[in-house]
Amino acid sequence: PPPAEPPLPLSADAQKTEVVRVPSFLSAAEVEDLHELHKELQPLLGSAGRTSGNQAAAYRQGTWETSYLSTDGLFARARPALRQRLLDLAREVDAEHWNVMSRATRPVLPRCVEYHTVEPGGSLPYPTHYDAGSLVTIDIMLSDSSDFRGGEFRTLEPDGSMRSYAFEKGDALCFVSHKFHCVSPLTAG
């Protein structure tokens, strides 16, 4: 029989992995282009919202809104070069740090592309949240960090501590999708 494929890092193994910051992955013009793309596609996008108490909310009535730019393949058609850059970034960072994508049993493609709008009170407060169904997650900051307070990206580390990550407009944070992560409440901005 063929050798068993090494398991993908879930749970405990994923918690031991590092988050990788890629400074200036997107230029200011590319960030603005994503904001414009969101405005253009918004009526066509799947979406979800949450209140400050993290209860489900109708879109545009919550403090954390998620628009799925990948709805019906829209992102892939509208920005194929950026989609490829994201996939290339995931592959490059993964090959250098974790090697999870090479263990996949089917072709690795972007699962979803989300655009988050967060207002004061919005957060992702669950310290054991992870991105099920994905191998590598890339978060890109689309706002200037001086325009808001709070909203820190954090990971729950194996020793039980919470680690915060600073990242600036255009920076990317790449991490194994099963690493526990959360976002502290946005207090202003």
Side-chain angles (χ1 to χ4, degrees), residues 157-175:
E157 296 302 308
D159 66 2
S161 66
M162 295 298 293
R163 182 172 174 187
S164 295
Y165 298 83
F167 67 132
E168 301 298 324
K169 187 176 187 177
D171 290 357
L173 292 182
C174 304
F175 55 97

mmCIF file with all atom_site columns, all heavy atoms in Angstrom, residues 157-175:
data_model
loop_
_atom_site.group_PDB
_atom_site.id
_atom_site.type_symbol
_atom_site.label_atom_id
_atom_site.label_alt_id
_atom_site.label_comp_id
_atom_site.label_asym_id
_atom_site.label_entity_id
_atom_site.label_seq_id
_atom_site.pdbx_PDB_ins_code
_atom_site.Cartn_x
_atom_site.Cartn_y
_atom_site.Cartn_z
_atom_site.occupancy
_atom_site.B_iso_or_equiv
_atom_site.pdbx_formal_charge
_atom_site.auth_seq_id
_atom_site.auth_comp_id
_atom_site.auth_asym_id
_atom_site.auth_atom_id
_atom_site.pdbx_PDB_model_num
ATOM 1   N N   . GLU A 1 157 ? -2.249 31.177 22.034 1.00 0.00 ? 157 GLU A N   1
ATOM 2   C CA  . GLU A 1 157 ? -1.012 30.411 21.937 1.00 0.00 ? 157 GLU A CA  1
ATOM 3   C C   . GLU A 1 157 ? -1.079 29.135 22.790 1.00 0.00 ? 157 GLU A C   1
ATOM 4   O O   . GLU A 1 157 ? -1.919 29.030 23.690 1.00 0.00 ? 157 GLU A O   1
ATOM 5   C CB  . GLU A 1 157 ? 0.166  31.297 22.360 1.00 0.00 ? 157 GLU A CB  1
ATOM 6   C CG  . GLU A 1 157 ? 0.376  32.490 21.431 1.00 0.00 ? 157 GLU A CG  1
ATOM 7   C CD  . GLU A 1 157 ? 0.610  32.091 19.986 1.00 0.00 ? 157 GLU A CD  1
ATOM 8   O OE1 . GLU A 1 157 ? 1.490  31.244 19.730 1.00 0.00 ? 157 GLU A OE1 1
ATOM 9   O OE2 . GLU A 1 157 ? -0.089 32.613 19.098 1.00 0.00 ? 157 GLU A OE2 1
ATOM 10  N N   . PRO A 1 158 ? -0.202 28.164 22.510 1.00 0.00 ? 158 PRO A N   1
ATOM 11  C CA  . PRO A 1 158 ? -0.249 26.888 23.237 1.00 0.00 ? 158 PRO A CA  1
ATOM 12  C C   . PRO A 1 158 ? -0.135 27.035 24.763 1.00 0.00 ? 158 PRO A C   1
ATOM 13  O O   . PRO A 1 158 ? -0.663 26.211 25.494 1.00 0.00 ? 158 PRO A O   1
ATOM 14  C CB  . PRO A 1 158 ? 0.950  26.111 22.681 1.00 0.00 ? 158 PRO A CB  1
ATOM 15  C CG  . PRO A 1 158 ? 1.166  26.676 21.328 1.00 0.00 ? 158 PRO A CG  1
ATOM 16  C CD  . PRO A 1 158 ? 0.806  28.135 21.446 1.00 0.00 ? 158 PRO A CD  1
ATOM 17  N N   . ASP A 1 159 ? 0.537  28.102 25.220 1.00 0.00 ? 159 ASP A N   1
ATOM 18  C CA  . ASP A 1 159 ? 0.676  28.287 26.672 1.00 0.00 ? 159 ASP A CA  1
ATOM 19  C C   . ASP A 1 159 ? -0.534 28.978 27.297 1.00 0.00 ? 159 ASP A C   1
ATOM 20  O O   . ASP A 1 159 ? -0.541 29.283 28.484 1.00 0.00 ? 159 ASP A O   1
ATOM 21  C CB  . ASP A 1 159 ? 1.956  29.062 26.996 1.00 0.00 ? 159 ASP A CB  1
ATOM 22  C CG  . ASP A 1 159 ? 1.942  30.499 26.479 1.00 0.00 ? 159 ASP A CG  1
ATOM 23  O OD1 . ASP A 1 159 ? 0.936  30.947 25.884 1.00 0.00 ? 159 ASP A OD1 1
ATOM 24  O OD2 . ASP A 1 159 ? 2.974  31.186 26.674 1.00 0.00 ? 159 ASP A OD2 1
ATOM 25  N N   . GLY A 1 160 ? -1.573 29.249 26.476 1.00 0.00 ? 160 GLY A N   1
ATOM 26  C CA  . GLY A 1 160 ? -2.787 29.890 26.975 1.00 0.00 ? 160 GLY A CA  1
ATOM 27  C C   . GLY A 1 160 ? -2.781 31.403 26.872 1.00 0.00 ? 160 GLY A C   1
ATOM 28  O O   . GLY A 1 160 ? -3.801 32.045 27.140 1.00 0.00 ? 160 GLY A O   1
ATOM 29  N N   . SER A 1 161 ? -1.662 31.986 26.475 1.00 0.00 ? 161 SER A N   1
ATOM 30  C CA  . SER A 1 161 ? -1.598 33.450 26.343 1.00 0.00 ? 161 SER A CA  1
ATOM 31  C C   . SER A 1 161 ? -2.218 33.891 25.020 1.00 0.00 ? 161 SER A C   1
ATOM 32  O O   . SER A 1 161 ? -2.321 33.112 24.074 1.00 0.00 ? 161 SER A O   1
ATOM 33  C CB  . SER A 1 161 ? -0.148 33.924 26.424 1.00 0.00 ? 161 SER A CB  1
ATOM 34  O OG  . SER A 1 161 ? 0.592  33.450 25.306 1.00 0.00 ? 161 SER A OG  1
ATOM 35  N N   . MET A 1 162 ? -2.625 35.152 24.964 1.00 0.00 ? 162 MET A N   1
ATOM 36  C CA  . MET A 1 162 ? -3.123 35.758 23.723 1.00 0.00 ? 162 MET A CA  1
ATOM 37  C C   . MET A 1 162 ? -2.004 36.616 23.151 1.00 0.00 ? 162 MET A C   1
ATOM 38  O O   . MET A 1 162 ? -1.426 37.442 23.859 1.00 0.00 ? 162 MET A O   1
ATOM 39  C CB  . MET A 1 162 ? -4.355 36.624 23.990 1.00 0.00 ? 162 MET A CB  1
ATOM 40  C CG  . MET A 1 162 ? -5.565 35.858 24.471 1.00 0.00 ? 162 MET A CG  1
ATOM 41  S SD  . MET A 1 162 ? -6.177 34.627 23.295 1.00 0.00 ? 162 MET A SD  1
ATOM 42  C CE  . MET A 1 162 ? -6.767 35.654 21.988 1.00 0.00 ? 162 MET A CE  1
ATOM 43  N N   . ARG A 1 163 ? -1.712 36.421 21.883 1.00 0.00 ? 163 ARG A N   1
ATOM 44  C CA  . ARG A 1 163 ? -0.678 37.209 21.212 1.00 0.00 ? 163 ARG A CA  1
ATOM 45  C C   . ARG A 1 163 ? -1.341 38.150 20.229 1.00 0.00 ? 163 ARG A C   1
ATOM 46  O O   . ARG A 1 163 ? -2.192 37.735 19.435 1.00 0.00 ? 163 ARG A O   1
ATOM 47  C CB  . ARG A 1 163 ? 0.293  36.281 20.492 1.00 0.00 ? 163 ARG A CB  1
ATOM 48  C CG  . ARG A 1 163 ? 1.421  37.011 19.815 1.00 0.00 ? 163 ARG A CG  1
ATOM 49  C CD  . ARG A 1 163 ? 2.453  36.062 19.282 1.00 0.00 ? 163 ARG A CD  1
ATOM 50  N NE  . ARG A 1 163 ? 3.456  36.804 18.514 1.00 0.00 ? 163 ARG A NE  1
ATOM 51  C CZ  . ARG A 1 163 ? 4.402  36.241 17.814 1.00 0.00 ? 163 ARG A CZ  1
ATOM 52  N NH1 . ARG A 1 163 ? 4.521  34.920 17.794 1.00 0.00 ? 163 ARG A NH1 1
ATOM 53  N NH2 . ARG A 1 163 ? 5.255  36.973 17.131 1.00 0.00 ? 163 ARG A NH2 1
ATOM 54  N N   . SER A 1 164 ? -0.967 39.418 20.280 1.00 0.00 ? 164 SER A N   1
ATOM 55  C CA  . SER A 1 164 ? -1.501 40.433 19.365 1.00 0.00 ? 164 SER A CA  1
ATOM 56  C C   . SER A 1 164 ? -0.506 40.685 18.249 1.00 0.00 ? 164 SER A C   1
ATOM 57  O O   . SER A 1 164 ? 0.706  40.591 18.447 1.00 0.00 ? 164 SER A O   1
ATOM 58  C CB  . SER A 1 164 ? -1.754 41.748 20.110 1.00 0.00 ? 164 SER A CB  1
ATOM 59  O OG  . SER A 1 164 ? -2.755 41.573 21.076 1.00 0.00 ? 164 SER A OG  1
ATOM 60  N N   . TYR A 1 165 ? -1.042 41.031 17.080 1.00 0.00 ? 165 TYR A N   1
ATOM 61  C CA  . TYR A 1 165 ? -0.214 41.279 15.900 1.00 0.00 ? 165 TYR A CA  1
ATOM 62  C C   . TYR A 1 165 ? -0.550 42.650 15.333 1.00 0.00 ? 165 TYR A C   1
ATOM 63  O O   . TYR A 1 165 ? -1.713 42.927 15.029 1.00 0.00 ? 165 TYR A O   1
ATOM 64  C CB  . TYR A 1 165 ? -0.476 40.226 14.819 1.00 0.00 ? 165 TYR A CB  1
ATOM 65  C CG  . TYR A 1 165 ? -0.137 38.836 15.272 1.00 0.00 ? 165 TYR A CG  1
ATOM 66  C CD1 . TYR A 1 165 ? -1.041 38.096 16.015 1.00 0.00 ? 165 TYR A CD1 1
ATOM 67  C CD2 . TYR A 1 165 ? 1.097  38.277 14.975 1.00 0.00 ? 165 TYR A CD2 1
ATOM 68  C CE1 . TYR A 1 165 ? -0.727 36.812 16.447 1.00 0.00 ? 165 TYR A CE1 1
ATOM 69  C CE2 . TYR A 1 165 ? 1.427  36.998 15.405 1.00 0.00 ? 165 TYR A CE2 1
ATOM 70  C CZ  . TYR A 1 165 ? 0.500  36.275 16.149 1.00 0.00 ? 165 TYR A CZ  1
ATOM 71  O OH  . TYR A 1 165 ? 0.813  35.025 16.584 1.00 0.00 ? 165 TYR A OH  1
ATOM 72  N N   . ALA A 1 166 ? 0.467  43.470 15.206 1.00 0.00 ? 166 ALA A N   1
ATOM 73  C CA  . ALA A 1 166 ? 0.284  44.760 14.547 1.00 0.00 ? 166 ALA A CA  1
ATOM 74  C C   . ALA A 1 166 ? 0.434  44.545 13.052 1.00 0.00 ? 166 ALA A C   1
ATOM 75  O O   . ALA A 1 166 ? 1.313  43.807 12.604 1.00 0.00 ? 166 ALA A O   1
ATOM 76  C CB  . ALA A 1 166 ? 1.324  45.751 15.043 1.00 0.00 ? 166 ALA A CB  1
ATOM 77  N N   . PHE A 1 167 ? -0.482 45.140 12.296 1.00 0.00 ? 167 PHE A N   1
ATOM 78  C CA  . PHE A 1 167 ? -0.259 45.173 10.853 1.00 0.00 ? 167 PHE A CA  1
ATOM 79  C C   . PHE A 1 167 ? -0.908 46.418 10.308 1.00 0.00 ? 167 PHE A C   1
ATOM 80  O O   . PHE A 1 167 ? -1.891 46.917 10.829 1.00 0.00 ? 167 PHE A O   1
ATOM 81  C CB  . PHE A 1 167 ? -0.610 43.879 10.148 1.00 0.00 ? 167 PHE A CB  1
ATOM 82  C CG  . PHE A 1 167 ? -2.039 43.398 10.075 1.00 0.00 ? 167 PHE A CG  1
ATOM 83  C CD1 . PHE A 1 167 ? -2.565 42.979 8.864  1.00 0.00 ? 167 PHE A CD1 1
ATOM 84  C CD2 . PHE A 1 167 ? -2.849 43.290 11.195 1.00 0.00 ? 167 PHE A CD2 1
ATOM 85  C CE1 . PHE A 1 167 ? -3.843 42.468 8.769  1.00 0.00 ? 167 PHE A CE1 1
ATOM 86  C CE2 . PHE A 1 167 ? -4.126 42.779 11.107 1.00 0.00 ? 167 PHE A CE2 1
ATOM 87  C CZ  . PHE A 1 167 ? -4.634 42.374 9.888  1.00 0.00 ? 167 PHE A CZ  1
ATOM 88  N N   . GLU A 1 168 ? -0.275 46.950 9.281  1.00 0.00 ? 168 GLU A N   1
ATOM 89  C CA  . GLU A 1 168 ? -0.642 48.241 8.720  1.00 0.00 ? 168 GLU A CA  1
ATOM 90  C C   . GLU A 1 168 ? -1.370 48.062 7.391  1.00 0.00 ? 168 GLU A C   1
ATOM 91  O O   . GLU A 1 168 ? -1.371 46.988 6.805  1.00 0.00 ? 168 GLU A O   1
ATOM 92  C CB  . GLU A 1 168 ? 0.613  49.098 8.524  1.00 0.00 ? 168 GLU A CB  1
ATOM 93  C CG  . GLU A 1 168 ? 1.401  49.373 9.798  1.00 0.00 ? 168 GLU A CG  1
ATOM 94  C CD  . GLU A 1 168 ? 0.605  50.150 10.827 1.00 0.00 ? 168 GLU A CD  1
ATOM 95  O OE1 . GLU A 1 168 ? -0.187 51.037 10.435 1.00 0.00 ? 168 GLU A OE1 1
ATOM 96  O OE2 . GLU A 1 168 ? 0.758  49.872 12.030 1.00 0.00 ? 168 GLU A OE2 1
ATOM 97  N N   . LYS A 1 169 ? -1.940 49.143 6.922  1.00 0.00 ? 169 LYS A N   1
ATOM 98  C CA  . LYS A 1 169 ? -2.669 49.137 5.657  1.00 0.00 ? 169 LYS A CA  1
ATOM 99  C C   . LYS A 1 169 ? -1.821 48.515 4.551  1.00 0.00 ? 169 LYS A C   1
ATOM 100 O O   . LYS A 1 169 ? -0.684 48.905 4.326  1.00 0.00 ? 169 LYS A O   1
ATOM 101 C CB  . LYS A 1 169 ? -3.036 50.576 5.292  1.00 0.00 ? 169 LYS A CB  1
ATOM 102 C CG  . LYS A 1 169 ? -3.938 50.717 4.103  1.00 0.00 ? 169 LYS A CG  1
ATOM 103 C CD  . LYS A 1 169 ? -4.301 52.185 3.930  1.00 0.00 ? 169 LYS A CD  1
ATOM 104 C CE  . LYS A 1 169 ? -5.324 52.402 2.864  1.00 0.00 ? 169 LYS A CE  1
ATOM 105 N NZ  . LYS A 1 169 ? -5.693 53.839 2.782  1.00 0.00 ? 169 LYS A NZ  1
ATOM 106 N N   . GLY A 1 170 ? -2.381 47.491 3.906  1.00 0.00 ? 170 GLY A N   1
ATOM 107 C CA  . GLY A 1 170 ? -1.695 46.789 2.827  1.00 0.00 ? 170 GLY A CA  1
ATOM 108 C C   . GLY A 1 170 ? -0.911 45.572 3.273  1.00 0.00 ? 170 GLY A C   1
ATOM 109 O O   . GLY A 1 170 ? -0.534 44.745 2.450  1.00 0.00 ? 170 GLY A O   1
ATOM 110 N N   . ASP A 1 171 ? -0.660 45.437 4.583  1.00 0.00 ? 171 ASP A N   1
ATOM 111 C CA  . ASP A 1 171 ? 0.070  44.275 5.094  1.00 0.00 ? 171 ASP A CA  1
ATOM 112 C C   . ASP A 1 171 ? -0.827 43.040 5.069  1.00 0.00 ? 171 ASP A C   1
ATOM 113 O O   . ASP A 1 171 ? -2.046 43.140 5.215  1.00 0.00 ? 171 ASP A O   1
ATOM 114 C CB  . ASP A 1 171 ? 0.506  44.482 6.546  1.00 0.00 ? 171 ASP A CB  1
ATOM 115 C CG  . ASP A 1 171 ? 1.597  45.521 6.717  1.00 0.00 ? 171 ASP A CG  1
ATOM 116 O OD1 . ASP A 1 171 ? 2.087  46.062 5.705  1.00 0.00 ? 171 ASP A OD1 1
ATOM 117 O OD2 . ASP A 1 171 ? 1.937  45.806 7.888  1.00 0.00 ? 171 ASP A OD2 1
ATOM 118 N N   . ALA A 1 172 ? -0.203 41.890 4.944  1.00 0.00 ? 172 ALA A N   1
ATOM 119 C CA  . ALA A 1 172 ? -0.909 40.608 5.005  1.00 0.00 ? 172 ALA A CA  1
ATOM 120 C C   . ALA A 1 172 ? -0.410 39.820 6.209  1.00 0.00 ? 172 ALA A C   1
ATOM 121 O O   . ALA A 1 172 ? 0.787  39.824 6.505  1.00 0.00 ? 172 ALA A O   1
ATOM 122 C CB  . ALA A 1 172 ? -0.667 39.816 3.723  1.00 0.00 ? 172 ALA A CB  1
ATOM 123 N N   . LEU A 1 173 ? -1.336 39.184 6.895  1.00 0.00 ? 173 LEU A N   1
ATOM 124 C CA  . LEU A 1 173 ? -0.992 38.200 7.919  1.00 0.00 ? 173 LEU A CA  1
ATOM 125 C C   . LEU A 1 173 ? -1.389 36.840 7.359  1.00 0.00 ? 173 LEU A C   1
ATOM 126 O O   . LEU A 1 173 ? -2.541 36.644 6.962  1.00 0.00 ? 173 LEU A O   1
ATOM 127 C CB  . LEU A 1 173 ? -1.753 38.456 9.224  1.00 0.00 ? 173 LEU A CB  1
ATOM 128 C CG  . LEU A 1 173 ? -1.404 39.711 10.004 1.00 0.00 ? 173 LEU A CG  1
ATOM 129 C CD1 . LEU A 1 173 ? -2.231 39.776 11.290 1.00 0.00 ? 173 LEU A CD1 1
ATOM 130 C CD2 . LEU A 1 173 ? 0.085  39.781 10.325 1.00 0.00 ? 173 LEU A CD2 1
ATOM 131 N N   . CYS A 1 174 ? -0.454 35.912 7.332  1.00 0.00 ? 174 CYS A N   1
ATOM 132 C CA  . CYS A 1 174 ? -0.696 34.566 6.811  1.00 0.00 ? 174 CYS A CA  1
ATOM 133 C C   . CYS A 1 174 ? -0.563 33.586 7.966  1.00 0.00 ? 174 CYS A C   1
ATOM 134 O O   . CYS A 1 174 ? 0.366  33.701 8.780  1.00 0.00 ? 174 CYS A O   1
ATOM 135 C CB  . CYS A 1 174 ? 0.329  34.216 5.739  1.00 0.00 ? 174 CYS A CB  1
ATOM 136 S SG  . CYS A 1 174 ? 0.418  35.376 4.374  1.00 0.00 ? 174 CYS A SG  1
ATOM 137 N N   . PHE A 1 175 ? -1.487 32.628 8.031  1.00 0.00 ? 175 PHE A N   1
ATOM 138 C CA  . PHE A 1 175 ? -1.411 31.655 9.114  1.00 0.00 ? 175 PHE A CA  1
ATOM 139 C C   . PHE A 1 175 ? -2.142 30.381 8.733  1.00 0.00 ? 175 PHE A C   1
ATOM 140 O O   . PHE A 1 175 ? -2.986 30.368 7.835  1.00 0.00 ? 175 PHE A O   1
ATOM 141 C CB  . PHE A 1 175 ? -1.958 32.231 10.426 1.00 0.00 ? 175 PHE A CB  1
ATOM 142 C CG  . PHE A 1 175 ? -3.357 32.781 10.357 1.00 0.00 ? 175 PHE A CG  1
ATOM 143 C CD1 . PHE A 1 175 ? -4.447 32.018 10.757 1.00 0.00 ? 175 PHE A CD1 1
ATOM 144 C CD2 . PHE A 1 175 ? -3.589 34.076 9.904  1.00 0.00 ? 175 PHE A CD2 1
ATOM 145 C CE1 . PHE A 1 175 ? -5.737 32.526 10.706 1.00 0.00 ? 175 PHE A CE1 1
ATOM 146 C CE2 . PHE A 1 175 ? -4.875 34.595 9.848  1.00 0.00 ? 175 PHE A CE2 1
ATOM 147 C CZ  . PHE A 1 175 ? -5.955 33.816 10.248 1.00 0.00 ? 175 PHE A CZ  1
#
